[in-house]
Amino acid sequence: MTKMMVVMLVGLAVLSYVKISPNGTYIKDYILNNDYYETVSLWIAQHLFTNNDIAVSSQVSYTHISDNYYKSSTNEVLNFDNGRVIYVDYQEILGNYVTVLLENGIEVTYGQMNVVFVSVYDSVESATILGTYDDSLIIIFNQDGQEIDYSTYLELYS
C-alpha cells in the first residue's frame, strides 16, 4: 500500500510539472531518454512490482456420483476448457444452469448451481469459476447433438 502511495505521489508530481510546463520538453529530454528510462523502469520493477504469482493447476476434474451428478473438491463450478457461454437460465430439473460451447465443439451444461457468476456470450477460459453449487452438480456433455459421458469426454479431449 505504501509503495502504491509513493507511485501515486510521484505521478501527481510529474503531472503537476507538466501542467505548469505544458510543452514538457524538460521531462521528455531528461526523464524519458534511454539511460534514465531503463534505470527508472528497472528500479520500479524491482521495488514496486514483486512477482507473487503462484502456479496452480488448471486441470479441472470432477468425481462422478451417479447418472449426471458430479462433485469436486470445492463447491466451485469450474469450466473444462476455453469457450463461450451460450445459455444462462433456470429450469425445473436443472435449476440454475450454464451452458458453455467449448472451442472443441462440445456443449457442456452445468446444472443445480446456487450462484452463477457468468452471463450469456461471456468468453471463458479453462478453470474459470462459473458459479457455485451446494451438494452436487449436474454436468451434461453434448457432441454433435448426442449426449456423451464424462469418461468419453476425458478420453477424447484430455
Side-chain angles (χ1 to χ4, degrees):
M1 185 65 160
T2 305
K3 293 176 183 179
M4 187 57 80
M5 291 176 67
V6 169
V7 168
M8 289 174 50
L9 183 61
V10 169
L12 284 173
V14 168
L15 291 175
S16 298
Y17 180 78
V18 170
K19 180 79 172 172
I20 295 170
S21 172
N23 294 337
T25 55
Y26 178 74
I27 291 176
K28 289 178 187 173
D29 292 340
Y30 186 72
I31 295 178
L32 297 179
N33 73 35
N34 276 345
D35 296 333
Y36 291 111
Y37 180 77
E38 289 176 11
T39 305
V40 169
S41 61
L42 181 62
W43 184 87
I44 288 173
Q46 288 176 344
H47 293 90
L48 298 179
F49 299 116
T50 57
N51 187 1
N52 293 330
D53 293 343
I54 299 172
V56 295
S57 173
S58 63
Q59 181 68 28
V60 177
S61 66
Y62 291 94
T63 304
H64 184 251
I65 299 172
S66 68
D67 298 327
N68 290 329
Y69 289 90
Y70 296 87
K71 195 172 201 157
S72 66
S73 58
T74 67
N75 72 331
E76 297 173 333
V77 180
L78 300 175
N79 187 41
F80 282 100
D81 205 354
N82 298 338
R84 182 169 305 275
V85 177
I86 57 173
Y87 296 111
V88 175
D89 206 351
Y90 177 84
Q91 188 183 62
E92 191 171 322
I93 295 172
L94 290 174
N96 291 318
Y97 72 93
V98 171
T99 301
V100 177
L101 176 60
L102 302 178
E103 289 178 349
N104 58 20
I106 293 183
E107 289 183 12
V108 182
T109 301
Y110 306 88
Q112 295 295 321
M113 298 171 64
N114 57 2
V115 178
V116 175
F117 298 146
V118 293
S119 300
V120 176
Y121 305 121
D122 284 353
S123 291
V124 289
E125 296 179 359
S126 177
T128 297
I129 301 173
L130 303 174
T132 60
Y133 68 95
D134 285 327
D135 298 323
S136 62
L137 174 71
I138 294 175
I139 303 177
I140 302 170
F141 298 91
N142 282 305
Q143 180 181 30
D144 300 326
Q146 299 292 326
E147 187 173 329
I148 60 173
D149 62 358
Y150 183 45
S151 59
T152 304
Y153 170 80
L154 291 177
E155 288 174 13
L156 291 173
Y157 298 102
S158 292

